[in-house]
Amino acid sequence: MKPQLLYASFLLRFFFALLCTATSENEAPSNGRTIVFTTLGRPDYDWDIFTLPTSDPPSPSNELWVTDGESVNFNGHFPSSSPSSILSLLRNRSLIQAPEAPLPALQIIYVTERNGTSNIYYDALYYSTPGSTRSRSALEIPVRLQAPLLGLEENKNRVSMKDKPSLSGEILIYVSNHEDPGEPRTSWAAVYSTHLGTGLTRRLSPYGIADFSPAVSPSGVWTAVASYGREGWDGEVEELSTDIYIFLTRDGSNRVKVVEHGGWPCWVDDSTLYFHRRSEDQWISVYKATLPKDKPVSTESVAIQRVTPPGLHAFTPATSPGNYKFIAVATRRPNSNFRHIELFDTVKNEFIELTRHVSPTSHHLNPFISPDTTRVGYHKCRGGSNGGKTPQLLLENVKSPVPNLSLFRFEGSFPVFSPTGDRIAYVEFPGIYVVNRDGSNLRQVFPLNAFATAWDPIQKGIVYTSAGPEFSSVSTEVDIVAIDVDDVCQSNYKRLTLDGKNNAFPSPSPDGKQIVFRSSRSGYKNLYIMDAIEGEAGGIERLTDGPWTDTMCNWSPDGDWIAFASDRHNPGSGSFELYLIHPNGTGLRKLISSGSSGRTNHPSFSPDGKLIVFTADYGGISAEPISLPHHYQPYGEIYTIKLDGSELKRLTYNSYEDGTPTWSPFYIDTVDVEWPRKTQCAFEDCHWLNEMPSRGTGTMVEPSGLAKPQCGNFYA
């Protein structure tokens, strides 16, 4: 009989306070509101951190599952400080206690998104025998000590993303995006340090500067980051054209650029850095930067050497202090559809494949190496058989930065509540589905490809949608259809547009008599209003007119306004801003500008008509996209604004693609809603990594056998 797993998790006092706070928020406020939105792919990220030994042949039997199967756990770091020294710092303000007997321990710091918010956790895993960390039997762990490293006092009760943590002595270094730089379309990501003993937190990035992917040198003196510097982010969503900067870890001073064009730095010693960049031959490769010891450090004095050869993409390198024999990298090879972790022998200049021998058809991300070089860590799907504890969620509570406003991530695109709030219609390509708010009675009500949904406020069970391909040209036929979701017949829908043009994004008037929608019938995508029962056969009026795109319209609950997104300020640029107009065509005004070449999309009025929720790239990107699964727009976040353009508030803080927000007609308590549908952890690697340079031509080709990428959901 297998020994029972004895699991001990000792949390800090401030974490108990956090739980108590969350519990009190479950009491529905009289003026409470709820917003539901979609995050591309995120509901299927059942990530945990695993490790493999660097010296033994890789196999499933010696892969060690490290994190605990709660929520998603990723971007790990092996601290070099001893468990006793780390625990002594935490014990000063916590209930945490180490085992009485000195047992072998594996310790890890990582990012986790449990309890509706992003945080950095510390786990110390104590084993019964010295050799147990070398085999899968270590899954049967006698004791796990676990604590969040950032609590309410460090965060000042602010919501933010955390990323790329590392521990240097008593100082935790990490990325957070809680401070607004004050400029639209500017990344909020910055590097901070927190003393684990005192909680003292210091910003290391200059104000107005976004830094990504920090790495601390072995001595702890220097920190390296990927950064755009003063130039700022210009909309890149693939391999970034950031530079590498270094600065003093203690206070962020002595900042200097050491590499032009590079990302994801890591140190071997205090004068040797590795990083990745796209090479002139178009392969993403790892490079080494050697800093001079006898003259000032600058981009001119730093020696750059390519490390990994052409023929594959190699990126997100990892090193360990004083290890000049090998590095760890993630790779995409021309003969593989999957991202894998490999070692690269820097002496022999050859690769050693690791994870392909363990999980050949899984993606593995962001390697990191233990200080003694014996183990390499990474994150991947944990798989249902590994005992993951996170259920499939219909509505996942996300901690809100606004009092009396609850936020939920929804499993599906374009969610919209029925007028009574008991059902949700949504898109899952292809098709329209309806599910009860408690997760029961899931049904497909429309089998064809469609996008954008809206319930009729008067006719019971009627849902409007756009039937046809998303992201299509003005000449592509897309029709507005009305679906009777309670009619089980095959012919349960009626076409409302008949012109064969691109008609989409229907929104009914509050009295249910009319529908506003966008149509390309003039040769441009403008707004029109038609009869809700008979469609355009019952009458149609043009609302906007011009050689631009007006789209994603939403009718206010009082009937006075229609909000929509438009590129009329710069037609064809891909940049969208939000506008308001009266249904009679008067009162046109801009609600919010999106900054240079920015995007503000998918406006939706609150039930009382006082606020508009929308998705935007106002906060830029928060992490290097190559360190994540595929997101078409890894900058989409959810915001609200008043109708007079005041009180712009950011609601979500992550590195994913949030979009298609909607309101519940009533407040929903901040509790996850499960549903019986079970899906396997799965996600797509960055689509642009599928493109491989053709040997000798410099052109990009896609490997055979790759599935064609699906179109995104949020900016159709």
Side-chain angles (χ1 to χ4, degrees):
M1 179 177 180
K2 291 184 178 181
Q4 296 295 318
L5 176 68
L6 302 178
Y7 184 91
S9 180
F10 301 87
L11 300 180
L12 306 183
R13 285 190 180 94
F14 57 71
F15 189 55
F16 289 132
L18 177 64
L19 292 178
C20 293
T21 301
T23 301
S24 66
E25 290 174 352
N26 290 343
E27 301 173 4
S30 59
N31 61 339
R33 299 184 176 103
T34 293
I35 291 172
V36 174
F37 62 94
T38 300
T39 304
L40 180 66
R42 169 59 179 77
D44 297 325
Y45 295 174
D46 290 340
W47 291 340
D48 264 318
I49 293 175
F50 295 75
T51 76
L52 279 169
T54 58
S55 58
D56 297 340
S59 68
S61 64
N62 60 19
E63 183 185 56
L64 175 64
W65 178 32
V66 179
T67 46
D68 61 4
E70 294 281 357
S71 187
V72 294
N73 307 296
F74 59 100
N75 285 358
H77 164 75
F78 291 118
S80 56
S81 304
S82 67
S84 59
S85 64
I86 296 175
L87 294 175
S88 67
L89 290 170
L90 300 179
R91 195 180 299 123
N92 290 336
R93 352 172 248 165
S94 71
L95 302 176
I96 198 166
Q97 297 179 4
E100 295 182 3
L103 301 174
L106 184 151
Q107 55 179 349
I108 188 172
I109 290 168
Y110 58 98
V111 179
T112 187
E113 294 183 353
R114 59 194 73 195
N115 306 306
T117 188
S118 174
N119 206 338
I120 297 169
Y121 268 43
Y122 169 78
D123 283 15
L125 282 61
Y126 291 83
Y127 301 95
S128 57
T129 60
S132 61
T133 62
R134 299 182 64 84
S135 69
R136 199 173 183 86
S137 63
L139 286 173
E140 298 170 316
I141 300 167
V143 176
R144 176 192 299 272
L145 298 183
Q146 183 180 85
L149 296 184
L150 298 174
L152 293 179
E153 52 266 54
E154 289 87 358
N155 287 321
K156 294 182 170 41
N157 206 21
R158 295 171 298 205
V159 175
S160 72
M161 178 207 77
K162 309 298 188 301
D163 194 30
K164 200 64 166 60
S166 59
L167 186 65
S168 178
E170 300 178 352
I171 304 297
L172 180 69
I173 311 296
Y174 56 96
V175 172
S176 178
N177 63 352
H178 62 269
E179 290 188 289
D180 184 353
E183 291 290 332
R185 209 161 182 261
T186 299
S187 175
W188 294 27
V191 175
Y192 296 81
S193 68
T194 295
H195 189 279
L196 291 186
T198 65
L200 177 65
T201 297
R202 181 194 301 269
R203 180 181 174 122
L204 301 181
S205 303
Y207 286 94
I209 300 294
D211 289 337
F212 312 102
S213 313
V216 182
S217 68
S219 70
V221 172
W222 297 100
T223 293
V225 295
S227 179
Y228 286 106
R230 293 288 176 188
E231 295 181 2
W233 176 68
D234 66 355
E236 291 179 309
V237 296
E238 298 185 0
E239 190 262 337
L240 304 183
S241 57
T242 50
D243 302 319
I244 305 295
Y245 289 76
I246 64 171
F247 50 77
L248 290 176
T249 306
R250 67 171 183 263
D251 58 7
S253 64
N254 289 24
R255 183 182 177 102
V256 60
K257 183 195 296 188
V258 296
V259 173
E260 291 186 346
H261 187 193
W264 205 266
C266 55
W267 301 82
V268 173
D269 55 46
D270 276 34
S271 62
T272 307
L273 279 165
Y274 286 84
F275 62 94
H276 65 220
R277 68 155 64 133
R278 189 180 291 276
S279 306
E280 291 183 359
D281 57 22
Q282 297 304 303
W283 294 103
I284 300 174
S285 301
V286 174
Y287 288 75
K288 181 172 72 172
T290 304
L291 281 56
K293 299 179 180 179
D294 55 353
K295 54 184 175 181
V297 175
S298 67
T299 54
E300 290 77 21
S301 64
V302 172
I304 306 296
Q305 176 186 353
R306 185 172 183 170
V307 176
T308 58
L312 78 169
H313 293 311
F315 46 94
T316 57
T319 55
S320 54
N323 174 20
Y324 302 98
K325 296 181 179 179
F326 64 86
I327 61 174
V329 296
T331 65
R332 277 297 305 274
R333 292 179 172 272
N335 61 352
S336 175
N337 293 357
F338 296 93
R339 182 188 302 205
H340 282 294
I341 306 303
E342 305 186 31
L343 301 181
F344 184 77
D345 188 319
T346 55
V347 178
K348 299 179 181 179
N349 291 328
E350 62 184 22
F351 285 97
I352 303 169
E353 294 185 283
L354 294 180
T355 58
R356 188 179 66 82
H357 298 292
V358 178
S359 305
T361 58
S362 295
H363 293 299
H364 304 72
L365 288 81
N366 304 351
F368 55 103
I369 302 176
S370 61
D372 63 4
T373 75
T374 61
R375 303 201 69 85
V376 59
Y378 46 87
H379 61 271
K380 68 171 186 176
C381 289
R382 54 179 163 259
S385 61
N386 279 348
K389 303 169 187 176
T390 302
Q392 188 72 23
L393 300 178
L394 175 70
L395 294 170
E396 178 187 4
N397 175 238
V398 176
K399 186 172 177 59
S400 170
V402 177
N404 300 332
L405 174 68
S406 61
L407 289 175
F408 289 90
R409 177 180 288 123
F410 182 76
E411 169 69 46
S413 299
F414 295 99
V416 61
F417 284 85
S418 62
T420 56
D422 59 333
R423 293 191 288 182
I424 304 173
Y426 68 96
V427 172
E428 188 164 303
F429 298 100
I432 304 294
Y433 292 77
V434 170
V435 63
N436 292 347
R437 190 176 67 83
D438 62 4
S440 63
N441 197 27
L442 172 65
R443 296 180 296 117
Q444 186 185 67
V445 297
F446 186 71
L448 305 179
N449 197 78
F451 60 97
T453 53
W455 287 86
D456 188 287
I458 305 300
Q459 299 181 78
K460 187 177 185 300
I462 299 299
V463 170
Y464 302 105
T465 191
S466 320
E470 68 278 15
F471 291 104
S472 52
S473 67
V474 294
S475 60
T476 303
E477 181 174 2
V478 179
D479 283 310
I480 306 298
V481 300
I483 306 167
D484 185 346
V485 302
D486 296 319
D487 185 347
V488 297
C489 299
Q490 292 292 327
S491 56
N492 65 339
Y493 66 92
K494 176 183 179 180
R495 286 178 57 197
L496 300 181
T497 52
L498 308 170
D499 66 334
K501 302 300 183 181
N502 193 322
N503 305 286
F505 292 100
S507 179
S509 59
D511 61 8
K513 295 180 179 180
Q514 296 176 300
I515 293 173
V516 62
F517 65 103
R518 77 110 198 266
S519 177
S520 68
R521 61 190 63 215
S522 70
Y524 298 98
K525 294 178 179 178
N526 294 153
L527 300 187
Y528 293 78
I529 295 176
M530 67 178 173
D531 184 85
I533 305 298
E534 300 300 327
E536 65 176 86
I540 187 169
E541 298 177 1
R542 187 167 188 163
L543 181 60
T544 64
D545 184 2
W548 50 68
T549 294
D550 297 328
T551 186
M552 305 176 192
C553 38
N554 186 254
W555 212 313
S556 66
D558 62 7
D560 287 346
W561 291 102
I562 292 170
F564 63 98
S566 178
D567 70 351
R568 58 178 58 209
H569 59 286
N570 191 3
S573 66
S575 174
F576 285 84
E577 298 181 337
L578 296 188
Y579 292 80
L580 292 170
I581 191 172
H582 290 305
N584 64 4
T586 65
L588 175 70
R589 61 183 172 89
K590 185 186 295 186
L591 177 64
I592 186 171
S593 297
S594 54
S596 176
S597 302
R599 288 181 169 183
T600 51
N601 288 325
H602 295 291
S604 176
F605 284 94
S606 60
D608 60 8
K610 295 180 179 180
L611 293 174
I612 290 177
V613 65
F614 61 97
T615 184
D617 61 358
Y618 249 58
I621 58 171
S622 296
E624 292 192 53
I626 199 171
S627 68
L628 298 161
H630 183 73
H631 290 272
Y632 292 92
Q633 288 95 15
Y635 45 68
E637 302 285 356
I638 307 301
Y639 293 77
T640 58
I641 194 170
K642 285 189 171 181
L643 269 63
D644 61 3
S646 66
E647 296 190 27
L648 175 68
K649 293 181 180 179
R650 180 173 179 172
L651 302 183
T652 59
Y653 297 77
N654 56 59
S655 55
Y656 311 132
E657 180 181 354
D658 295 335
T660 61
T662 190
W663 300 82
S664 167
F666 52 78
Y667 180 83
I668 301 177
D669 289 346
T670 56
V671 178
D672 294 339
V673 176
E674 301 180 18
W675 67 347
R677 191 182 77 163
K678 299 297 182 182
T679 60
Q680 290 187 337
C681 172
F683 56 91
E684 296 181 61
D685 202 2
C686 299
H687 288 175
W688 42 275
L689 288 176
N690 295 340
E691 298 175 346
M692 304 287 177
S694 178
R695 294 182 182 273
T697 67
T699 58
M700 306 295 282
V701 297
E702 188 171 288
S704 60
L706 288 178
K708 291 294 182 182
Q710 300 283 328
C711 288
N713 301 346
F714 306 141
Y715 296 106

